[in-house]
Amino acid sequence: MAVLPSLATVADLATLLGRTFTPEQEMQAQALLDQASSVVRAYVRQDITRATTTDVFPLRRADPLLHRCGGVVTLPQRPVVDVDTVLVDGAETADWWLDGAELLLRAWTWGQPPAAHRPPQVTVTYTHGYDTVPGDIQAIVVQAANRVIVNPSGIRSEAVGGESVTYLIPTTGEALGVLLSRTEQKVLDRYRRTAASLRVRGH
């Protein structure tokens, strides 16, 4: 799997701090931004940046009250920009359409026992994510990295505007790295994938 780019740049962090980094400081800043980006992606369960992915999903039977089709696949990475190819059990099909992040197959004959115990496997190659990282996500990544830079003394928490903000060093003195505040998590919740989606293989 390709390494995903940071969700903010060293220039963004330098602008926030109002300073110019030395080459060594640039390396540290990039490492912190990479870590903050990974923390954000892990929380929202999304790649966020624009990418093309091939995944394999088990086909779900459609709800007759919601969908008039043969089966449904929910694509986990959002937003879905485009779908390139769809294969069902290895056979390419064009008999599908998109409804948001759901790919619906117009018609499909479900197997009889014993094949019926294994749902058809749908291979989808699709483009997803944002061409430009949303500003609120970018700001959170920069803020999270900045807290590590401005908190060298190991302060664990302090009250900021009536909110308790947790920093990177716990009372045991063990460095944990970049963490998200509760306020930042609430902002990120609008991007977070909460529904379970089975991902069998990704490239």
Side-chain angles (χ1 to χ4, degrees):
M1 181 181 293
V3 177
L4 295 173
S6 293
L7 297 171
T9 67
V10 172
D12 296 327
L13 184 55
T15 299
L16 175 67
L17 294 172
R19 59 185 286 191
T20 300
F21 292 129
T22 65
E24 293 78 10
Q25 290 170 336
E26 285 186 358
M27 292 178 62
Q28 180 192 26
Q30 186 61 65
L32 290 171
L33 291 169
D34 290 344
Q35 187 180 89
S37 298
S38 295
V39 169
V40 168
R41 286 186 168 110
Y43 181 77
V44 300
R45 304 171 188 169
Q46 295 288 315
D47 291 348
I48 300 173
T49 47
R50 182 68 55 85
T52 298
T53 301
T54 298
D55 277 343
V56 182
F57 310 92
L59 186 65
R60 304 196 323 269
R61 293 185 184 275
D63 185 336
L65 297 179
L66 297 176
H67 309 111
R68 295 182 179 274
C69 63
V72 182
V73 163
T74 300
L75 302 177
Q77 293 296 326
R78 320 283 173 80
V80 177
V81 178
D82 191 26
V83 173
D84 185 14
T85 59
V86 178
L87 291 82
V88 183
D89 286 340
E92 186 170 356
T93 178
D95 199 16
W96 55 267
W97 74 96
L98 274 177
D99 183 6
E102 291 192 327
L103 186 144
L104 299 96
L105 289 163
R106 192 175 306 279
W108 191 259
T109 301
W110 291 76
Q112 300 299 315
H117 298 298
R118 180 181 182 273
Q121 301 298 293
V122 183
T123 303
V124 184
T125 299
Y126 67 112
T127 301
H128 52 81
Y130 299 90
D131 192 33
T132 300
V133 177
D136 48 359
I137 293 179
Q138 185 182 64
I140 287 171
V141 169
V142 171
Q143 291 165 7
N146 178 56
R147 282 200 295 271
V148 180
I149 292 177
V150 301
N151 186 38
S153 61
I155 298 174
R156 188 169 190 272
S157 64
E158 66 179 8
V160 178
E163 178 192 1
S164 178
V165 180
T166 300
Y167 288 104
L168 66 158
I169 308 297
T171 54
T172 60
E174 178 187 1
L176 294 180
V178 178
L179 298 175
L180 298 173
S181 72
R182 291 183 180 178
T183 296
E184 289 165 343
Q185 290 176 344
K186 289 179 181 178
V187 173
L188 292 172
D189 281 345
R190 64 185 291 241
Y191 300 99
R192 194 179 191 197
R193 186 176 83 241
T194 55
S197 297
L198 179 60
R199 178 171 178 167
V200 180
R201 184 180 67 220
H203 300 284

